[in-house]
Amino acid sequence: MHRGLQAEIQRIVLLTLFLLIFGFMNGYLLLTLLVGGGLYMLWTFSHISKLYDWLDRGCSGLPPEAGGVWGDMGDSLYRMQKRNERAKQSRRSLSDRVRNITGALADGILTLSADRVLEWWNPAAEQLLGLKKSDRGQSIINLVRDPRFVAFIQNQTLNSPLELTSPEDPTKTLLFTAAEFGDGDVILVAQDITRLRNLEQMRQDFVANISHELRTPLTVLSGYTETLQDSLQNGDNDLPSHWKKALDQMQQQTDRMNALANDLVMLSQLESTREPAPSEPIQIAPLLQQISEDARIIAADNYKVELECAEAMVLNGDMKELYSAFSNLVFNAIKHNPAGTTVQIKSYATDSANFIEVSDDGNGIDPKHISRLTERFYRVDQSRASSTGGTGLGLAIVKHVLMHHGGTLSITTTLSKGSCFSCRFPILKP
Ligand code: ADP
């Protein structure tokens, strides 16, 4: 039993005994008991009232002095109040610390309720998005009205980040990421990636410019090499005949550099355009027909090129880009496989997508390379690259063209059995 309660019971027992003895001695037992009990109740009420006063004062200062159960209760309340104060203090200092940390961050951080109402934000968010105090409690889609942002923040999964021009400063590019926490609340992070984008742009411009600039000297070199080769063929006696091999190799390497410069120009053009490809309707059957004829010329009689087309297939996009993507796949199937390989070009449609597939029954590719095949300059066999004349950019171009047309590339391959490169273009329902 609690010590205070024990003392109180002892006090009541002693008081009752005293009153009984005193009552017997003076002959007024009942009256003595009544008066004693009344005094005890008055004493108790005075303690209760002091305790109430202390509680009303917000427990400030020490609890009222009392013994027994009332003293104990006052002490317990006092300890509880001190514990609360300490907890409140540590919560306050934690929230101050969090506020200081988020205040020091360069990234904008905002918290939204489950229905996307703005609850809190840090100073960086204020600057990046131009928020004002009065915006608290407003829906975020009233403040950032870009339809892409609206779609992004209303998407239940919130899993893909969004890049957008700052609504406050059009020279800035922001990257938005969001995640759910608690009861469907959302934390939104706005990162200023302007510097990154500028650097990326500089890199793209540099590659595009240098590849473009390389074309002119390469054309001159190629022109002179061809002239010298012709002279040698026509029996020009001023040229030693052992130059033939050197000239052939010079021509081969100039062609290779030309192909590399062309691929780099194409890739940087694809990278720099963020808009979807121009949507002219492209008839796929004649395009694939053209590619298979070009492939037959390259393959001579060494390879079999088969074509199976869905006659009426039309894709919206850019003719030059699509030619480049499909021809890269077809020429790869010839370039990277031995003579005797059959290359199959096929187009077909399902309810949800159009497919263009290029498959071969050649060498196949070790599955460990598949995830890296579309990287720039990635080659399965580095040593064979120069003999095949590849630039290592073909599949990177294919991937970018497909992305530009809302499509995807999937690769299935088995070593020694062959590979299939399948381009999928979803059919968008109106
Ligand atoms: P490259 O200019 O070397 O052809 P790509 O990006 O087009 O560069 O291809 C990357 C690599 O993928 C090639 O080096 C080759 O090893 C492999 N590859 C591509 N297509 C095929 C194919 N049909 N069969 C076998 N290997 C292939």
Side-chain angles (χ1 to χ4, degrees):
M1 197 189 296
H2 212 276
R3 269 224 322 259
L5 195 60
Q6 261 178 357
E8 198 62 36
I9 291 169
Q10 264 177 14
R11 187 186 310 217
I12 293 171
V13 171
L14 283 175
L15 182 70
T16 316
L17 276 175
F18 171 77
L19 291 174
L20 282 172
I21 294 167
F22 190 67
F24 270 125
M25 278 171 59
N26 64 23
Y28 296 104
L29 181 64
L30 199 61
L31 189 65
T32 309
L33 280 174
L34 274 174
V35 172
L39 285 173
Y40 176 76
M41 278 172 76
L42 271 179
W43 177 83
T44 306
F45 277 127
S46 89
H47 280 309
I48 294 176
S49 124
K50 277 186 205 161
L51 206 58
Y52 268 131
D53 280 350
W54 180 68
L55 288 172
D56 285 347
R57 287 198 309 274
C59 304
S60 75
L62 292 172
E65 203 64 59
V69 88
W70 302 110
D72 240 27
M73 273 172 124
D75 288 347
S76 299
L77 282 170
Y78 183 69
R79 280 196 300 273
M80 214 157 82
Q81 196 254 350
K82 282 285 159 211
R83 267 203 309 273
N84 271 348
E85 249 171 35
R86 275 198 300 275
K88 228 192 267 174
Q89 185 62 38
S90 90
R91 272 203 304 274
R92 204 173 301 137
S93 68
L94 184 69
S95 85
D96 283 351
R97 209 169 154 66
V98 171
R99 194 168 308 130
N100 288 341
I101 292 170
T102 52
L105 283 177
D107 294 345
I109 299 175
L110 305 92
T111 58
L112 314 174
S113 64
D115 48 359
R116 308 315 191 232
V117 166
L118 195 53
E119 286 177 343
W120 174 90
W121 61 90
N122 69 345
E126 200 162 300
Q127 274 185 6
L128 294 172
L129 302 174
L131 299 174
K132 298 183 291 297
K133 278 210 167 62
S134 56
D135 292 332
R136 195 180 307 273
Q138 289 239 36
S139 170
I140 187 80
I141 56 176
N142 291 338
L143 303 167
V144 185
R145 289 168 182 271
D146 190 299
R148 284 169 297 168
F149 180 82
V150 175
F152 158 77
I153 202 70
Q154 283 180 339
N155 186 338
Q156 290 304 314
T157 52
L158 295 170
N159 52 7
S160 42
L162 172 77
E163 212 177 297
L164 217 62
T165 307
S166 160
E168 188 58 9
D169 178 355
T171 61
K172 282 193 171 150
T173 309
L174 302 182
L175 181 74
F176 288 98
T177 41
E180 248 185 36
F181 71 99
D183 249 353
D185 294 346
V186 172
I187 179 159
L188 178 67
V189 180
Q191 226 180 334
D192 183 355
I193 55 161
T194 316
R195 219 174 90 79
L196 202 72
R197 279 289 153 266
N198 287 347
L199 284 172
E200 174 82 353
Q201 189 61 48
M202 269 167 66
R203 183 191 64 81
Q204 278 176 16
D205 290 349
F206 175 76
V207 174
N209 288 339
I210 203 140
S211 333
H212 197 75
E213 290 303 321
L214 276 174
R215 280 163 151 181
T216 318
L218 282 172
T219 316
V220 176
L221 275 177
S222 178
Y224 278 123
T225 325
E226 261 174 46
T227 316
L228 288 172
Q229 276 175 319
D230 286 347
S231 311
L232 207 63
Q233 244 173 17
N234 297 337
D236 189 335
N237 291 331
D238 291 345
L239 288 171
S241 59
H242 63 265
W243 275 33
K244 182 177 176 344
K245 196 170 167 224
L247 285 172
D248 285 351
Q249 272 189 5
M250 277 166 73
Q251 185 63 51
Q252 205 185 349
Q253 294 305 320
T254 329
D255 288 347
R256 233 184 124 206
M257 276 179 79
N258 233 329
L260 187 62
N262 288 338
D263 279 359
L264 278 172
V265 169
M266 172 121 203
L267 202 53
S268 51
Q269 275 168 356
L270 283 166
E271 274 183 332
S272 60
T273 44
R274 287 179 188 277
E275 279 85 51
S279 57
E280 327 155 18
I282 312 286
Q283 297 288 341
I284 294 303
L287 178 69
L288 295 184
Q289 182 70 43
Q290 176 66 50
I291 293 174
S292 63
E293 274 162 28
D294 296 348
R296 280 184 196 115
I297 295 171
I298 298 173
D301 287 334
N302 300 326
Y303 297 80
K304 218 161 123 190
V305 181
E306 294 174 354
L307 176 66
E308 194 183 309
C309 265
E311 273 308 319
M313 186 182 289
V314 175
L315 284 181
N316 284 331
D318 181 275
M319 170 74 118
K320 198 170 140 233
E321 288 182 15
L322 289 175
Y323 176 88
S324 170
F326 303 146
S327 62
N328 259 308
L329 294 179
V330 177
F331 298 160
N332 269 353
I334 295 171
K335 245 183 349 191
H336 298 295
N337 289 303
T341 301
T342 302
V343 180
Q344 239 190 1
I345 311 166
K346 203 163 131 186
S347 72
Y348 63 93
T350 64
D351 282 350
S352 58
N354 286 313
F355 291 85
I356 284 99
E357 273 180 13
V358 178
S359 48
D360 63 70
D361 58 0
N363 292 330
I365 306 165
D366 191 329
K368 70 179 182 205
H369 297 291
I370 291 186
S371 61
R372 302 199 56 193
L373 280 182
T374 54
E375 279 175 26
R376 261 165 269 197
F377 297 111
Y378 187 83
R379 291 163 175 131
V380 171
D381 185 350
Q382 298 288 344
S383 59
R384 281 198 333 159
S386 57
S387 66
T388 60
T391 59
L393 294 172
L395 290 179
I397 291 178
V398 174
K399 185 177 100 176
H400 274 86
V401 170
L402 296 198
M403 267 163 48
H404 205 198
H405 287 76
T408 46
L409 175 71
S410 64
I411 306 169
T412 42
T413 169
T414 315
L415 262 181
S416 320
K417 292 229 163 95
S419 316
C420 175
F421 292 77
S422 173
C423 311
R424 180 181 187 275
F425 299 89
I427 297 172
L428 301 174
K429 300 262 155 35

